[in-house]
Amino acid sequence: MIPLEQHLEEFGMKNCPLEISLRIIGKKFTIHIIRNMLLLKQKRFNEFLNSMEGISTKTLSVRLREMEDAGLVIRTIIEKRPLKVEYRLTEKGEALAPVMIQMANFSMRWESKKVFKNQEPSTIKETFGTERLAKVWD
């Protein structure tokens, strides 16, 4: 059995690419924030806070800052009274949409009893339809 480090070195890699991805999006609530930005078009702190059960203001603040540091979101201050802050996904953040679709498809197929009331496997395309899917992930 070849150790992982040797295998990675053979391909000119310093680290496992899955490990790097998990360091970026694997923290609690990060995927939820991205999901809400993509699906619900949320962009304000209180929208995230009110739509995610169990997240504290401190955790949300830390996650958004980490996502900004990782280049997933851009924070914009709206210079109106009162001041408002909005977040939007960068190109890098939007590149996670197909990954998230695959993650959802995985659960919808292999964990359908936990996902659907009828407990029958399905896909995102079958569930939402192509037109709806295009609007959702637009």
Side-chain angles (χ1 to χ4, degrees):
M1 182 82 80
I2 300 173
L4 178 61
E5 293 80 18
Q6 185 179 342
H7 180 76
L8 293 173
E9 181 64 33
E10 186 178 319
F11 292 98
M13 296 179 172
K14 298 190 303 184
N15 292 292
C16 172
L18 291 174
E19 178 66 29
I20 300 300
S21 294
L22 288 173
R23 286 182 198 163
I24 295 170
I25 62 170
K27 292 186 178 175
K28 191 171 184 177
F29 297 113
T30 300
I31 287 289
H32 298 86
I33 295 167
I34 296 168
R35 175 202 61 197
N36 287 12
M37 293 177 91
L38 288 168
L39 290 175
L40 305 176
K41 308 301 184 206
Q42 292 180 351
K43 53 188 170 186
R44 297 216 177 110
F45 189 92
N46 282 336
E47 291 174 322
F48 301 128
L49 191 62
N50 294 330
S51 64
M52 287 185 264
E53 190 174 320
I55 192 167
S56 68
T57 55
K58 181 180 179 183
T59 299
L60 178 57
S61 181
V62 168
R63 288 299 168 269
L64 288 167
R65 188 168 296 117
E66 290 170 346
M67 293 170 68
E68 187 178 6
D69 291 344
L72 298 177
V73 298
I74 292 175
R75 181 178 183 262
T76 305
I77 298 173
I78 311 293
E79 296 287 340
K80 289 184 179 177
R81 295 271 179 204
L83 285 177
K84 294 181 183 178
V85 176
E86 292 186 346
Y87 297 88
R88 68 175 174 82
L89 290 170
T90 62
E91 182 180 357
K92 181 178 179 180
E94 289 174 352
L96 289 166
V99 174
M100 294 178 70
I101 288 171
Q102 289 305 312
M103 289 171 65
N105 276 329
F106 173 84
S107 293
M108 293 167 79
R109 177 176 179 192
W110 298 104
E111 298 293 330
S112 59
K113 291 179 181 174
K114 296 176 184 175
V115 174
F116 296 109
K117 290 179 182 177
N118 70 6
Q119 301 185 353
E120 295 296 319
S122 187
T123 65
I124 284 192
K125 191 179 261 187
E126 291 168 343
T127 302
F128 296 107
T130 306
E131 187 175 312
R132 171 88 169 126
L133 184 60
K135 287 179 185 175
V136 166
W137 295 100
D138 172 358

